[in-house]
Amino acid sequence: MDTLEQRFGNVEFRAEAFDVPFHVYRQYAKQCDDEDSPLYLFDSRFVEKTGGAMGREYLPFTFFGRDLFELLGPERPDYRWLIVGPARSGSTFHKDPNGTSAWNAVLQGRKGWIMFPPDVCPPGVYTNEDESEVTSPLSIPEWFLTYFDHAWNTYGPTAKDPETRGKLVVGVCGPGEVIYVPSGWWHLVVNLDEATAVTQNFVSEDELVNVLRFMRDKPDQMSGFKGSTDGRTIYDGFLNALRTSEPRIYEGAMQALSKTPPCGVRKETLWNKVVGNTQPDDDSNINGGFAFGFDIDEDEDTAESIE
């Protein structure tokens, strides 16, 4: 942080909902020991704000492959961020935008990571079926105090159930180390020390189908794109760019995409087969399947269910 303050102390960077000069943020970071969740500096325009200086010193890792969103030119969504924060700052559970993958390179300090694969919703996080609404009301310290032990016992390397064992990934990245976040993975990140990192989201050929599926099925959840804000228009534009510039990649991806079910479609379970269609045809009849019936007085108080 010292070097950043010396070179870019008067440059305003985004710290959550605020734009603040870096020297002001640095002073705050030195004096927030009493805060459980300090403000996190997370800026997607750090190259532009430094007059290109950081861009000349910032080269993506070639082994992750080309970011195919480059084909969108000026409409390319936000894709790179400078991340700075004191110990205990970080980000609560989330998935990266638009179905993209990411890498995160630590320049200073240590960052702790908690990760779950796409099919495991982290304990304490609640979503609707298509994940357009995510509720994670806890702060990072509260999540560790309330849910980490349960997560470790249920999904950790020593979990009793072989079906869930090993689905929790826990790690620490230090200076000079890089972590890869696959498309669709939930992750929580917390700075264990004062830390500085650079991260980039990307669309690799290997995970292109995941991104196209997200864009096809969740156009209302797409974010960060320049120009049009209509998800369907952006999706069609990306397909046209792929077809024109990378026809081989386009053909392979479209063949694979045609075989993938829409996002949010769940496999039929044995319980669903037993219950069958429980949608009422009218006020008194339920068509087919097995159902429970309870005789409850309408004016009787009932308790809300809590998952």
Side-chain angles (χ1 to χ4, degrees), residues 134-180:
V134 178
T135 301
S136 182
L138 300 174
S139 68
I140 293 174
E142 288 172 327
W143 185 86
F144 277 99
L145 289 171
T146 307
Y147 290 104
F148 179 79
D149 286 347
H150 169 70
W152 183 265
N153 292 333
T154 306
Y155 300 105
T158 59
K160 294 181 179 179
D161 187 346
E163 294 295 320
T164 61
R165 185 185 305 142
K167 290 200 169 187
L168 167 64
V169 177
V170 179
V172 176
C173 282
E177 295 182 330
V178 179
I179 189 169
Y180 165 66

Side-chain angles (χ1 to χ4, degrees), residues 219-274:
D220 59 320
Q221 297 183 39
M222 291 161 59
S223 63
F225 290 87
K226 313 300 189 296
S228 175
T229 58
D230 178 69
R232 185 59 57 184
T233 299
I234 296 169
Y235 175 59
D236 291 340
F238 186 43
L239 290 182
N240 289 334
L242 282 170
R243 185 187 302 113
T244 301
S245 301
E246 299 288 350
R248 177 191 62 80
I249 295 176
Y250 170 82
E251 291 296 336
M254 295 308 291
Q255 289 181 14
L257 185 65
S258 67
K259 301 175 184 178
T260 63
C263 293
V265 173
R266 300 179 178 176
K267 294 181 180 179
E268 186 175 24
T269 65
L270 177 61
W271 177 253
N272 288 336
K273 292 179 180 178
V274 172

Side-chain angles (χ1 to χ4, degrees), residues 177-302:
E177 295 182 330
V178 179
I179 189 169
Y180 165 66
V181 182
S183 170
W185 276 58
W186 292 97
H187 50 288
L188 173 154
V189 190
V190 60
N191 286 344
L192 305 180
D193 313 304
E194 182 179 85
T196 303
V198 174
T199 188
Q200 177 164 326
N201 289 73
F202 63 96
V203 182
S204 68
E205 181 178 350
D206 292 335
E207 293 178 312
L208 174 60
V209 174
N210 290 343
V211 174
L212 292 177
R213 184 180 180 222
F214 182 95
M215 297 176 76
R216 179 193 68 184
D217 299 338
K218 300 182 178 182
D220 59 320
Q221 297 183 39
M222 291 161 59
S223 63
F225 290 87
K226 313 300 189 296
S228 175
T229 58
D230 178 69
R232 185 59 57 184
T233 299
I234 296 169
Y235 175 59
D236 291 340
F238 186 43
L239 290 182
N240 289 334
L242 282 170
R243 185 187 302 113
T244 301
S245 301
E246 299 288 350
R248 177 191 62 80
I249 295 176
Y250 170 82
E251 291 296 336
M254 295 308 291
Q255 289 181 14
L257 185 65
S258 67
K259 301 175 184 178
T260 63
C263 293
V265 173
R266 300 179 178 176
K267 294 181 180 179
E268 186 175 24
T269 65
L270 177 61
W271 177 253
N272 288 336
K273 292 179 180 178
V274 172
V275 173
N277 177 17
T278 58
Q279 295 299 318
D281 289 336
D282 53 43
D283 291 339
S284 58
N285 297 318
I286 294 181
N287 186 22
F290 176 81
F292 292 106
F294 298 92
D295 191 10
I296 302 176
D297 293 333
E298 290 185 0
D299 60 348
E300 185 175 320
D301 291 334
T302 58

Side-chain angles (χ1 to χ4, degrees), residues 48-113:
E48 295 83 352
K49 290 179 177 181
T50 58
M54 284 193 181
R56 291 189 291 272
E57 301 167 6
Y58 164 84
L59 293 175
F61 297 97
T62 57
F63 53 80
F64 286 121
R66 180 186 182 187
D67 178 13
L68 292 170
F69 270 158
E70 291 178 356
L71 299 176
L72 290 174
E75 296 184 357
R76 183 184 189 183
D78 295 335
Y79 64 96
R80 57 188 177 186
W81 288 264
L82 172 68
I83 310 172
V84 181
R88 301 177 311 285
S89 62
S91 56
T92 56
F93 276 110
H94 64 283
K95 292 185 177 183
D96 282 337
N98 306 315
T100 56
S101 305
W103 56 259
N104 184 295
V106 179
L107 307 177
Q108 171 206 359
R110 297 174 302 150
K111 300 177 80 70
W113 291 78

